[in-house]
Short mmCIF file of all heavy atoms in Angstrom, two decimals:
data_model
loop_
_atom_site.label_atom_id
_atom_site.label_comp_id
_atom_site.label_asym_id
_atom_site.label_seq_id
_atom_site.Cartn_x
_atom_site.Cartn_y
_atom_site.Cartn_z
N MET A 1 0.85 -1.17 0.00
CA MET A 1 0.00 0.00 0.00
C MET A 1 0.90 1.24 0.00
O MET A 1 1.82 1.34 0.80
CB MET A 1 -0.89 -0.02 1.25
CG MET A 1 -1.77 1.18 1.38
SD MET A 1 -2.86 1.19 2.84
CE MET A 1 -3.58 -0.42 2.85
N ASP A 2 0.59 2.16 -0.91
CA ASP A 2 1.42 3.36 -0.98
C ASP A 2 0.99 4.37 0.09
O ASP A 2 -0.05 4.22 0.76
CB ASP A 2 1.39 3.98 -2.37
CG ASP A 2 0.00 4.45 -2.80
OD1 ASP A 2 -0.80 4.83 -1.94
OD2 ASP A 2 -0.27 4.44 -4.02
N ALA A 3 1.77 5.41 0.25
CA ALA A 3 1.52 6.40 1.31
C ALA A 3 0.20 7.14 1.08
O ALA A 3 -0.53 7.42 2.04
CB ALA A 3 2.67 7.39 1.37
N PHE A 4 -0.13 7.45 -0.18
CA PHE A 4 -1.38 8.14 -0.48
C PHE A 4 -2.57 7.31 -0.01
O PHE A 4 -3.47 7.81 0.67
CB PHE A 4 -1.48 8.43 -1.97
CG PHE A 4 -2.82 8.96 -2.38
CD1 PHE A 4 -3.15 10.29 -2.20
CD2 PHE A 4 -3.78 8.12 -2.96
CE1 PHE A 4 -4.40 10.78 -2.57
CE2 PHE A 4 -5.01 8.59 -3.34
CZ PHE A 4 -5.33 9.94 -3.14
N THR A 5 -2.58 6.04 -0.38
CA THR A 5 -3.68 5.15 -0.02
C THR A 5 -3.79 4.99 1.49
O THR A 5 -4.87 5.09 2.05
CB THR A 5 -3.50 3.78 -0.70
OG1 THR A 5 -3.47 3.96 -2.12
CG2 THR A 5 -4.61 2.82 -0.33
N ALA A 6 -2.67 4.78 2.14
CA ALA A 6 -2.67 4.61 3.59
C ALA A 6 -3.20 5.86 4.28
O ALA A 6 -4.02 5.76 5.20
CB ALA A 6 -1.26 4.28 4.09
N ARG A 7 -2.76 7.01 3.86
CA ARG A 7 -3.19 8.27 4.48
C ARG A 7 -4.68 8.52 4.21
O ARG A 7 -5.41 8.95 5.10
CB ARG A 7 -2.35 9.43 3.95
CG ARG A 7 -2.74 10.77 4.51
CD ARG A 7 -2.47 10.84 6.01
NE ARG A 7 -2.88 12.16 6.50
CZ ARG A 7 -3.61 12.35 7.57
NH1 ARG A 7 -3.97 11.34 8.32
NH2 ARG A 7 -3.95 13.56 7.94
N LEU A 8 -5.12 8.24 3.00
CA LEU A 8 -6.54 8.43 2.67
C LEU A 8 -7.42 7.52 3.52
O LEU A 8 -8.42 7.97 4.07
CB LEU A 8 -6.77 8.16 1.18
CG LEU A 8 -8.19 8.36 0.65
CD1 LEU A 8 -8.69 9.77 0.94
CD2 LEU A 8 -8.23 8.06 -0.84
N LEU A 9 -7.04 6.26 3.65
CA LEU A 9 -7.83 5.33 4.46
C LEU A 9 -7.83 5.74 5.93
O LEU A 9 -8.85 5.61 6.62
CB LEU A 9 -7.31 3.90 4.28
CG LEU A 9 -7.54 3.30 2.90
CD1 LEU A 9 -6.84 1.95 2.78
CD2 LEU A 9 -9.02 3.19 2.59
N GLN A 10 -6.71 6.26 6.41
CA GLN A 10 -6.64 6.74 7.79
C GLN A 10 -7.54 7.94 7.99
O GLN A 10 -8.24 8.05 9.00
CB GLN A 10 -5.20 7.09 8.18
CG GLN A 10 -5.07 7.56 9.63
CD GLN A 10 -5.57 6.53 10.63
OE1 GLN A 10 -5.22 5.36 10.55
NE2 GLN A 10 -6.39 6.96 11.58
N ARG A 11 -7.55 8.86 7.03
CA ARG A 11 -8.42 10.04 7.12
C ARG A 11 -9.90 9.63 7.12
O ARG A 11 -10.71 10.21 7.84
CB ARG A 11 -8.14 11.00 5.99
CG ARG A 11 -6.85 11.77 6.17
CD ARG A 11 -6.63 12.80 5.10
NE ARG A 11 -7.69 13.81 5.13
CZ ARG A 11 -7.95 14.63 4.11
NH1 ARG A 11 -7.24 14.54 2.99
NH2 ARG A 11 -8.90 15.52 4.22
N ILE A 12 -10.24 8.63 6.32
CA ILE A 12 -11.62 8.14 6.28
C ILE A 12 -11.99 7.56 7.65
O ILE A 12 -13.05 7.87 8.20
CB ILE A 12 -11.82 7.12 5.16
CG1 ILE A 12 -11.78 7.84 3.80
CG2 ILE A 12 -13.14 6.36 5.32
CD1 ILE A 12 -11.74 6.91 2.59
N LYS A 13 -11.11 6.75 8.20
CA LYS A 13 -11.38 6.14 9.50
C LYS A 13 -11.55 7.20 10.59
O LYS A 13 -12.47 7.13 11.40
CB LYS A 13 -10.22 5.19 9.86
CG LYS A 13 -10.39 4.48 11.17
CD LYS A 13 -9.24 3.53 11.42
CE LYS A 13 -9.37 2.86 12.77
NZ LYS A 13 -8.24 1.98 13.05
N THR A 14 -10.68 8.19 10.60
CA THR A 14 -10.75 9.27 11.58
C THR A 14 -12.04 10.07 11.42
O THR A 14 -12.71 10.39 12.40
CB THR A 14 -9.53 10.20 11.45
OG1 THR A 14 -8.35 9.44 11.70
CG2 THR A 14 -9.60 11.36 12.42
N THR A 15 -12.40 10.37 10.18
CA THR A 15 -13.62 11.14 9.92
C THR A 15 -14.86 10.36 10.32
O THR A 15 -15.81 10.92 10.86
CB THR A 15 -13.67 11.58 8.45
OG1 THR A 15 -12.49 12.33 8.14
CG2 THR A 15 -14.90 12.44 8.18
N GLU A 16 -14.86 9.06 10.08
CA GLU A 16 -15.98 8.22 10.51
C GLU A 16 -16.13 8.28 12.03
O GLU A 16 -17.24 8.37 12.55
CB GLU A 16 -15.79 6.78 10.05
CG GLU A 16 -15.98 6.59 8.57
CD GLU A 16 -15.60 5.19 8.09
OE1 GLU A 16 -14.85 4.48 8.77
OE2 GLU A 16 -16.10 4.83 7.01
N SER A 17 -15.01 8.22 12.72
CA SER A 17 -15.03 8.29 14.18
C SER A 17 -15.55 9.65 14.65
O SER A 17 -16.38 9.73 15.57
CB SER A 17 -13.62 8.04 14.72
OG SER A 17 -13.59 8.19 16.11
N ASP A 18 -15.08 10.71 14.02
CA ASP A 18 -15.53 12.05 14.38
C ASP A 18 -17.01 12.22 14.10
O ASP A 18 -17.73 12.86 14.87
CB ASP A 18 -14.73 13.11 13.61
CG ASP A 18 -13.27 13.17 14.02
OD1 ASP A 18 -12.92 12.61 15.09
OD2 ASP A 18 -12.47 13.78 13.28
N LEU A 19 -17.49 11.65 12.99
CA LEU A 19 -18.91 11.71 12.65
C LEU A 19 -19.74 10.98 13.70
O LEU A 19 -20.78 11.49 14.15
CB LEU A 19 -19.14 11.12 11.26
CG LEU A 19 -20.58 11.01 10.79
CD1 LEU A 19 -21.27 12.37 10.79
CD2 LEU A 19 -20.63 10.38 9.40
N SER A 20 -19.30 9.83 14.09
CA SER A 20 -20.00 9.07 15.11
C SER A 20 -20.08 9.83 16.43
O SER A 20 -21.13 9.88 17.08
CB SER A 20 -19.31 7.72 15.31
OG SER A 20 -19.96 6.97 16.29
N ARG A 21 -18.98 10.45 16.81
CA ARG A 21 -18.93 11.23 18.04
C ARG A 21 -19.90 12.42 17.96
O ARG A 21 -20.62 12.71 18.90
CB ARG A 21 -17.51 11.72 18.33
CG ARG A 21 -17.37 12.38 19.68
CD ARG A 21 -15.93 12.79 20.02
NE ARG A 21 -14.93 11.86 19.57
CZ ARG A 21 -14.07 12.11 18.58
NH1 ARG A 21 -14.07 13.26 17.94
NH2 ARG A 21 -13.16 11.21 18.22
N ALA A 22 -19.91 13.10 16.82
CA ALA A 22 -20.81 14.25 16.64
C ALA A 22 -22.27 13.81 16.75
O ALA A 22 -23.10 14.50 17.35
CB ALA A 22 -20.55 14.92 15.30
N ARG A 23 -22.59 12.66 16.17
CA ARG A 23 -23.95 12.14 16.26
C ARG A 23 -24.31 11.81 17.71
O ARG A 23 -25.39 12.14 18.17
CB ARG A 23 -24.10 10.89 15.39
CG ARG A 23 -24.19 11.20 13.93
CD ARG A 23 -24.37 9.94 13.12
NE ARG A 23 -24.56 10.26 11.71
CZ ARG A 23 -24.27 9.42 10.73
NH1 ARG A 23 -23.78 8.21 10.99
NH2 ARG A 23 -24.47 9.79 9.48
N ASP A 24 -23.38 11.17 18.41
CA ASP A 24 -23.62 10.81 19.82
C ASP A 24 -23.85 12.05 20.69
O ASP A 24 -24.63 12.01 21.63
CB ASP A 24 -22.44 10.00 20.38
CG ASP A 24 -22.34 8.61 19.80
OD1 ASP A 24 -23.31 8.14 19.16
OD2 ASP A 24 -21.28 7.99 19.98
N GLU A 25 -23.15 13.13 20.35
CA GLU A 25 -23.26 14.37 21.12
C GLU A 25 -24.44 15.22 20.69
O GLU A 25 -24.74 16.24 21.32
CB GLU A 25 -21.96 15.17 21.01
CG GLU A 25 -20.78 14.48 21.67
CD GLU A 25 -19.45 15.18 21.43
OE1 GLU A 25 -19.41 16.20 20.71
OE2 GLU A 25 -18.44 14.67 21.96
N GLY A 26 -25.09 14.85 19.60
CA GLY A 26 -26.24 15.60 19.11
C GLY A 26 -25.87 16.93 18.46
O GLY A 26 -26.69 17.84 18.41
N ASP A 27 -24.65 17.03 17.96
CA ASP A 27 -24.18 18.27 17.34
C ASP A 27 -24.51 18.22 15.84
O ASP A 27 -23.73 17.73 15.03
CB ASP A 27 -22.68 18.41 17.56
CG ASP A 27 -22.13 19.75 17.10
OD1 ASP A 27 -22.72 20.38 16.21
OD2 ASP A 27 -21.08 20.16 17.65
N ASP A 28 -25.69 18.73 15.49
CA ASP A 28 -26.16 18.63 14.10
C ASP A 28 -25.25 19.33 13.10
O ASP A 28 -25.04 18.84 12.00
CB ASP A 28 -27.58 19.19 13.99
CG ASP A 28 -28.60 18.36 14.75
OD1 ASP A 28 -28.34 17.16 14.98
OD2 ASP A 28 -29.66 18.91 15.11
N PHE A 29 -24.71 20.49 13.49
CA PHE A 29 -23.81 21.20 12.59
C PHE A 29 -22.55 20.39 12.31
O PHE A 29 -22.15 20.21 11.16
CB PHE A 29 -23.43 22.58 13.16
CG PHE A 29 -22.43 23.30 12.30
CD1 PHE A 29 -22.81 23.88 11.10
CD2 PHE A 29 -21.10 23.37 12.68
CE1 PHE A 29 -21.88 24.53 10.29
CE2 PHE A 29 -20.16 24.02 11.88
CZ PHE A 29 -20.56 24.60 10.68
N LEU A 30 -21.96 19.86 13.36
CA LEU A 30 -20.74 19.07 13.19
C LEU A 30 -21.01 17.79 12.41
O LEU A 30 -20.18 17.34 11.62
CB LEU A 30 -20.09 18.76 14.55
CG LEU A 30 -18.71 18.14 14.51
CD1 LEU A 30 -17.74 19.00 13.69
CD2 LEU A 30 -18.18 17.94 15.92
N VAL A 31 -22.19 17.21 12.59
CA VAL A 31 -22.58 16.03 11.80
C VAL A 31 -22.54 16.38 10.31
O VAL A 31 -22.00 15.62 9.50
CB VAL A 31 -23.97 15.50 12.21
CG1 VAL A 31 -24.50 14.50 11.20
CG2 VAL A 31 -23.91 14.85 13.59
N GLU A 32 -23.11 17.54 9.96
CA GLU A 32 -23.12 17.95 8.55
C GLU A 32 -21.71 18.16 8.03
O GLU A 32 -21.38 17.75 6.90
CB GLU A 32 -23.94 19.22 8.38
CG GLU A 32 -25.43 19.00 8.48
CD GLU A 32 -26.21 20.26 8.14
OE1 GLU A 32 -25.82 20.96 7.19
OE2 GLU A 32 -27.20 20.51 8.83
N VAL A 33 -20.87 18.80 8.82
CA VAL A 33 -19.48 19.06 8.42
C VAL A 33 -18.75 17.74 8.21
O VAL A 33 -18.09 17.53 7.17
CB VAL A 33 -18.76 19.92 9.46
CG1 VAL A 33 -17.26 19.98 9.18
CG2 VAL A 33 -19.35 21.32 9.50
N GLU A 34 -18.83 16.84 9.17
CA GLU A 34 -18.11 15.57 9.10
C GLU A 34 -18.65 14.70 7.96
O GLU A 34 -17.89 14.03 7.26
CB GLU A 34 -18.16 14.82 10.42
CG GLU A 34 -17.46 15.52 11.57
CD GLU A 34 -15.97 15.73 11.36
OE1 GLU A 34 -15.35 15.09 10.49
OE2 GLU A 34 -15.40 16.55 12.11
N GLN A 35 -19.98 14.71 7.75
CA GLN A 35 -20.55 13.91 6.66
C GLN A 35 -20.07 14.44 5.31
O GLN A 35 -19.76 13.66 4.42
CB GLN A 35 -22.09 13.93 6.72
CG GLN A 35 -22.73 13.03 5.69
CD GLN A 35 -22.37 11.56 5.90
OE1 GLN A 35 -22.68 11.01 6.93
NE2 GLN A 35 -21.73 10.94 4.92
N GLY A 36 -19.98 15.75 5.17
CA GLY A 36 -19.47 16.34 3.94
C GLY A 36 -18.03 15.94 3.69
O GLY A 36 -17.64 15.60 2.56
N GLU A 37 -17.23 15.98 4.74
CA GLU A 37 -15.83 15.58 4.63
C GLU A 37 -15.72 14.11 4.24
O GLU A 37 -14.93 13.72 3.38
CB GLU A 37 -15.10 15.82 5.96
CG GLU A 37 -13.67 15.37 6.00
CD GLU A 37 -12.72 16.26 5.20
OE1 GLU A 37 -13.13 17.32 4.73
OE2 GLU A 37 -11.55 15.86 5.05
N LEU A 38 -16.53 13.26 4.87
CA LEU A 38 -16.51 11.84 4.57
C LEU A 38 -16.92 11.58 3.13
O LEU A 38 -16.29 10.78 2.43
CB LEU A 38 -17.42 11.09 5.54
CG LEU A 38 -17.40 9.58 5.46
CD1 LEU A 38 -15.98 9.03 5.65
CD2 LEU A 38 -18.33 8.99 6.51
N ASP A 39 -17.95 12.26 2.66
CA ASP A 39 -18.38 12.12 1.27
C ASP A 39 -17.26 12.50 0.32
O ASP A 39 -17.02 11.81 -0.68
CB ASP A 39 -19.62 12.98 0.99
CG ASP A 39 -20.86 12.51 1.72
OD1 ASP A 39 -20.87 11.35 2.22
OD2 ASP A 39 -21.83 13.30 1.80
N ASP A 40 -16.57 13.61 0.61
CA ASP A 40 -15.45 14.05 -0.24
C ASP A 40 -14.32 13.02 -0.25
O ASP A 40 -13.74 12.72 -1.30
CB ASP A 40 -14.90 15.39 0.24
CG ASP A 40 -15.84 16.55 -0.05
OD1 ASP A 40 -16.77 16.38 -0.87
OD2 ASP A 40 -15.63 17.63 0.54
N LEU A 41 -14.00 12.48 0.92
CA LEU A 41 -12.92 11.49 1.01
C LEU A 41 -13.28 10.21 0.26
O LEU A 41 -12.43 9.63 -0.44
CB LEU A 41 -12.60 11.17 2.47
CG LEU A 41 -11.93 12.30 3.26
CD1 LEU A 41 -11.92 11.97 4.74
CD2 LEU A 41 -10.52 12.56 2.74
N ARG A 42 -14.52 9.78 0.37
CA ARG A 42 -14.96 8.57 -0.35
C ARG A 42 -14.94 8.80 -1.86
O ARG A 42 -14.56 7.91 -2.62
CB ARG A 42 -16.35 8.15 0.12
CG ARG A 42 -16.33 7.56 1.51
CD ARG A 42 -17.71 7.20 1.96
NE ARG A 42 -17.69 6.50 3.26
CZ ARG A 42 -18.75 6.37 4.01
NH1 ARG A 42 -19.92 6.84 3.63
NH2 ARG A 42 -18.65 5.75 5.17
N ARG A 43 -15.34 10.00 -2.28
CA ARG A 43 -15.29 10.33 -3.71
C ARG A 43 -13.84 10.31 -4.20
O ARG A 43 -13.54 9.74 -5.26
CB ARG A 43 -15.91 11.70 -3.96
CG ARG A 43 -15.89 12.13 -5.42
CD ARG A 43 -16.42 13.54 -5.64
NE ARG A 43 -15.93 14.53 -4.68
CZ ARG A 43 -14.71 15.08 -4.71
NH1 ARG A 43 -13.85 14.74 -5.64
NH2 ARG A 43 -14.36 15.97 -3.80
N LEU A 44 -12.94 10.90 -3.44
CA LEU A 44 -11.53 10.91 -3.79
C LEU A 44 -10.99 9.48 -3.89
O LEU A 44 -10.25 9.14 -4.82
CB LEU A 44 -10.74 11.71 -2.74
CG LEU A 44 -9.27 11.91 -2.99
CD1 LEU A 44 -9.03 12.71 -4.26
CD2 LEU A 44 -8.63 12.63 -1.80
N ALA A 45 -11.38 8.64 -2.94
CA ALA A 45 -10.95 7.25 -2.98
C ALA A 45 -11.45 6.57 -4.24
O ALA A 45 -10.68 5.87 -4.92
CB ALA A 45 -11.45 6.51 -1.74
N ALA A 46 -12.70 6.77 -4.59
CA ALA A 46 -13.27 6.15 -5.79
C ALA A 46 -12.56 6.64 -7.05
O ALA A 46 -12.26 5.85 -7.95
CB ALA A 46 -14.76 6.45 -5.87
N GLU A 47 -12.25 7.92 -7.10
CA GLU A 47 -11.56 8.48 -8.26
C GLU A 47 -10.17 7.90 -8.45
O GLU A 47 -9.65 7.86 -9.56
CB GLU A 47 -11.46 10.01 -8.13
CG GLU A 47 -12.77 10.72 -8.32
CD GLU A 47 -12.67 12.21 -8.04
OE1 GLU A 47 -11.59 12.70 -7.63
OE2 GLU A 47 -13.71 12.90 -8.19
N HIS A 48 -9.56 7.44 -7.36
CA HIS A 48 -8.20 6.90 -7.44
C HIS A 48 -8.16 5.38 -7.29
O HIS A 48 -7.07 4.81 -7.10
CB HIS A 48 -7.33 7.58 -6.37
CG HIS A 48 -7.06 9.01 -6.68
ND1 HIS A 48 -6.04 9.42 -7.50
CD2 HIS A 48 -7.70 10.16 -6.31
CE1 HIS A 48 -6.06 10.72 -7.62
NE2 HIS A 48 -7.07 11.19 -6.89
N GLY A 49 -9.32 4.76 -7.36
CA GLY A 49 -9.36 3.31 -7.31
C GLY A 49 -9.01 2.71 -5.95
O GLY A 49 -8.60 1.55 -5.88
N VAL A 50 -9.21 3.48 -4.89
CA VAL A 50 -8.93 2.99 -3.54
C VAL A 50 -10.21 2.38 -3.01
O VAL A 50 -11.23 3.04 -2.91
CB VAL A 50 -8.45 4.13 -2.61
CG1 VAL A 50 -8.28 3.62 -1.19
CG2 VAL A 50 -7.15 4.74 -3.14
N GLU A 51 -10.14 1.11 -2.68
CA GLU A 51 -11.30 0.39 -2.17
C GLU A 51 -11.48 0.69 -0.69
O GLU A 51 -10.57 0.48 0.11
CB GLU A 51 -11.14 -1.10 -2.39
CG GLU A 51 -12.41 -1.88 -2.09
CD GLU A 51 -12.29 -3.33 -2.52
OE1 GLU A 51 -11.64 -3.61 -3.52
OE2 GLU A 51 -12.86 -4.17 -1.81
N VAL A 52 -12.67 1.17 -0.35
CA VAL A 52 -12.99 1.49 1.03
C VAL A 52 -13.96 0.44 1.50
O VAL A 52 -15.01 0.24 0.88
CB VAL A 52 -13.62 2.88 1.15
CG1 VAL A 52 -14.00 3.20 2.58
CG2 VAL A 52 -12.67 3.94 0.60
N GLY A 53 -13.62 -0.24 2.60
CA GLY A 53 -14.50 -1.29 3.12
C GLY A 53 -15.79 -0.74 3.67
O GLY A 53 -15.97 0.46 3.82
N ALA A 54 -16.70 -1.63 3.98
CA ALA A 54 -17.98 -1.24 4.60
C ALA A 54 -17.70 -0.55 5.91
O ALA A 54 -16.77 -0.90 6.63
CB ALA A 54 -18.84 -2.48 4.82
N THR A 55 -18.52 0.44 6.22
CA THR A 55 -18.32 1.19 7.42
C THR A 55 -19.48 1.03 8.37
O THR A 55 -20.56 0.61 7.98
CB THR A 55 -18.17 2.70 7.10
OG1 THR A 55 -19.40 3.13 6.51
CG2 THR A 55 -17.02 2.96 6.16
N SER A 56 -19.25 1.35 9.61
CA SER A 56 -20.29 1.24 10.63
C SER A 56 -21.09 2.52 10.76
O SER A 56 -22.05 2.58 11.49
CB SER A 56 -19.65 0.90 11.96
OG SER A 56 -18.76 1.92 12.35
N VAL A 57 -20.68 3.58 10.09
CA VAL A 57 -21.35 4.88 10.22
C VAL A 57 -22.40 5.02 9.14
O VAL A 57 -22.23 4.66 8.03
CB VAL A 57 -20.33 6.04 10.13
CG1 VAL A 57 -21.03 7.38 10.17
CG2 VAL A 57 -19.33 5.93 11.25
#
C-alpha cells in the first residue's frame, strides 16, 4: 500500500469516528461538516481506485 492510499484510508477512518462522536453528542452542525468531509474522502478514494471497506457509520 502506498503512502497516499494509507493516508486516505486513515483520514476516512478518523472522519468516521468524528462523525459518530458528533452524532452521539447531538451536534447537528458538526454532523453535517463531518458527513461532507466523509463524502469528499470517499469520492476521492473512488476516483483513485482505492477500495474502502464497509463502514459502521
Side-chain angles (χ1 to χ4, degrees):
M1 178 180 312
D2 62 30
F4 172 80
T5 300
R7 179 66 180 132
L8 182 57
L9 292 173
Q10 181 58 48
R11 285 185 62 198
I12 289 170
K13 181 178 177 183
T14 299
T15 303
E16 288 172 339
S17 176
D18 292 345
L19 176 57
S20 180
R21 187 176 323 110
R23 285 181 176 155
D24 290 346
E25 293 173 359
D27 188 334
D28 294 336
F29 176 74
L30 190 55
V31 167
E32 286 187 40
V33 170
E34 296 298 344
Q35 185 62 61
E37 177 73 9
L38 186 56
D39 292 345
D40 288 345
L41 291 169
R42 288 178 175 163
R43 179 184 45 77
L44 185 62
E47 288 174 358
H48 290 276
V50 176
E51 189 171 326
V52 178
T55 63
S56 61
V57 176

